Amino acid sequence: MARPTISDIARRAGVSKSAVSFALNGRPGVSDETRRRILRIVEEMNWRPHSAARALGGAKAGAVGLVLARPARTIGVEPFFAMLLSGLQAGLSAETTALHLMLVEDTAAEIEVYRRWSSEHRVDGFVVVDLQIHDPRIPVLEELGVPAIVLGGPGRHGSLPSVWADDREAMISTVNYLAALGHRRIAHLAGLPAFQHTRRRIRALRDSAKRLGLVEAVSVPTDFSDAEGAAATRALLARPLRPTAIIYDSDVMAVAGLGVATEMGIPVPGELSIVSFDDSALTRIVHPPLTALSRDTFALGEQVARTVLAAIADPTAVQDHKNPTPHLVVRESTAPPRASGDAAAR
């Protein structure tokens, strides 16, 4: 069935299109009785305004866009994104705003969606995640002039405001803790190297290694998936001088790494300590439960929602917002390395 138009409503109500417009927008020019009749017909016909027509009339689209250039399978099992999206939608729903979500193959496709949704007035603003080194999305969004919030920082996101937490400080606190336990060979299963937060964590480990006098501190880039997490863990633990502690950039990889250690007969935490950079339910239901850098990801999503809504209301008034730094929750997957483990690692 064809979508009803204002002309259809006017014809059924026996009035002009102008009268329908007056009634829909609450403007004077029609009697109360005519307005009620028109609104009743609108309800019966299930009419909804076209987004472009609403924009031309100065109305909001009532939606925020989020485009993710990550594999759908990876996103589907990633607890961080599940909680982030839940918090984001909860925050937007409180203001009767929808979330338009799309998964794409790469950054070029993501930029194309920004251009299309902007030209079609599909959304009132964007949330941008996975901030990249020399990110090509930033100048495009600045050119489009649509309010946009970056999840990630600080700095290097042009004129766009951001919501961020200190990944570097979180990594430093983790390395300090492992070094205090006696670990001198520490590995880091990182995310994609093009991401700014990945780069900050890698540099934090490298800088900490110099300061703490670690024997080895190596970062291995991955795509955040359980498959790459498992493969990289297996390669690290097969070394003659294997690490005595591994820090994972996601819970999915950390759980996969724990499974590999069990498969290879390497006890956790006796000969290998494991730390995850997120703290979802996954870290607490495995054995042993995993030490993790914890943060309220749902609340982070709500904060992003509030910030993007504020930017839509007044783009000039929004500033960067720093969230609390993730804090270490110590569980049973970390301990001082055994003497035999230390000897093997040396």
Side-chain angles (χ1 to χ4, degrees), residues 83-165:
M83 291 304 295
L84 178 70
L85 290 173
S86 296
L88 179 57
Q89 182 62 83
L92 294 176
S93 294
E95 299 296 329
T96 63
T97 299
L99 176 65
H100 285 335
L101 173 66
M102 179 172 285
L103 303 183
V104 296
E105 292 298 319
D106 53 32
T107 301
E110 183 177 343
I111 289 174
E112 177 56 32
V113 173
Y114 291 148
R115 293 190 183 279
R116 186 172 73 253
W117 283 3
S118 177
S119 67
E120 295 174 354
H121 306 284
R122 294 280 190 90
V123 297
D124 301 314
F126 290 104
V127 172
V128 182
V129 301
D130 293 335
L131 193 61
Q132 303 173 25
I133 309 298
H134 307 301
D135 200 315
R137 299 171 297 175
I138 302 304
V140 172
L141 288 165
E142 289 176 322
E143 169 199 333
L144 293 173
V146 179
I149 297 297
V150 173
L151 176 56
R156 293 192 290 276
H157 41 75
S159 61
L160 304 184
S162 70
V163 175
W164 64 284

Side-chain angles (χ1 to χ4, degrees), residues 220-239:
V220 181
T222 72
D223 66 356
F224 294 104
S225 71
D226 56 332
E228 287 204 9
T233 300
R234 190 171 289 106
L236 286 169
L237 297 183
R239 293 179 176 182

Side-chain angles (χ1 to χ4, degrees), residues 56-332:
L56 288 172
K60 299 292 186 182
V64 167
L66 174 60
V67 189
L68 297 175
R70 286 208 192 187
R73 288 184 180 276
T74 301
I75 293 292
V77 297
E78 178 51 66
F80 171 81
F81 273 106
M83 291 304 295
L84 178 70
L85 290 173
S86 296
L88 179 57
Q89 182 62 83
L92 294 176
S93 294
E95 299 296 329
T96 63
T97 299
L99 176 65
H100 285 335
L101 173 66
M102 179 172 285
L103 303 183
V104 296
E105 292 298 319
D106 53 32
T107 301
E110 183 177 343
I111 289 174
E112 177 56 32
V113 173
Y114 291 148
R115 293 190 183 279
R116 186 172 73 253
W117 283 3
S118 177
S119 67
E120 295 174 354
H121 306 284
R122 294 280 190 90
V123 297
D124 301 314
F126 290 104
V127 172
V128 182
V129 301
D130 293 335
L131 193 61
Q132 303 173 25
I133 309 298
H134 307 301
D135 200 315
R137 299 171 297 175
I138 302 304
V140 172
L141 288 165
E142 289 176 322
E143 169 199 333
L144 293 173
V146 179
I149 297 297
V150 173
L151 176 56
R156 293 192 290 276
H157 41 75
S159 61
L160 304 184
S162 70
V163 175
W164 64 284
D166 196 335
D167 291 294
R168 175 179 173 84
E169 185 58 36
M171 176 61 89
I172 289 173
S173 70
T174 302
V175 181
N176 287 346
Y177 164 71
L178 291 172
L181 288 177
H183 294 279
R184 292 297 177 265
R185 291 188 177 274
I186 299 175
H188 168 215
L189 286 199
L192 295 168
F195 293 167
Q196 285 195 18
H197 67 263
T198 300
R199 185 73 61 88
R200 283 194 296 272
R201 296 176 190 183
I202 290 173
R203 287 178 175 172
L205 174 59
R206 183 187 63 198
D207 295 344
S208 297
K210 296 176 183 178
R211 174 174 51 83
L212 297 169
L214 301 184
V215 174
E216 182 180 36
V218 58
S219 292
V220 181
T222 72
D223 66 356
F224 294 104
S225 71
D226 56 332
E228 287 204 9
T233 300
R234 190 171 289 106
L236 286 169
L237 297 183
R239 293 179 176 182
L241 298 177
R242 65 176 184 249
T244 60
I246 302 178
I247 304 168
Y248 293 84
D249 265 6
S250 80
D251 289 350
V252 170
M253 291 200 299
V255 171
L258 175 62
V260 169
T262 301
E263 168 197 316
M264 297 178 69
I266 299 172
V268 175
E271 294 183 21
L272 176 68
S273 285
I274 290 178
V275 179
S276 176
F277 216 97
D278 286 317
D279 188 22
S280 70
L282 285 179
T283 64
R284 299 185 290 276
I285 63 176
V286 294
H287 180 76
L290 302 182
T291 295
L293 281 157
S294 183
R295 60 181 162 193
D296 190 337
T297 306
F298 185 91
L300 175 64
E302 290 182 307
Q303 178 61 57
V304 172
R306 289 193 296 270
T307 306
V308 73
L309 288 172
I312 291 168
D314 184 1
T316 64
V318 180
Q319 300 179 343
D320 292 351
H321 181 93
K322 182 180 179 182
N323 267 50
T325 301
H327 64 280
L328 198 64
V329 176
V330 176
R331 299 193 181 97
E332 297 172 26

Side-chain angles (χ1 to χ4, degrees), residues 6 21 24-25 27 49-61 121:
I6 286 181
S21 179
L24 291 173
N25 292 291
R27 295 165 55 190
H50 190 278
S51 59
R54 286 174 56 89
L56 288 172
K60 299 292 186 182
H121 306 284

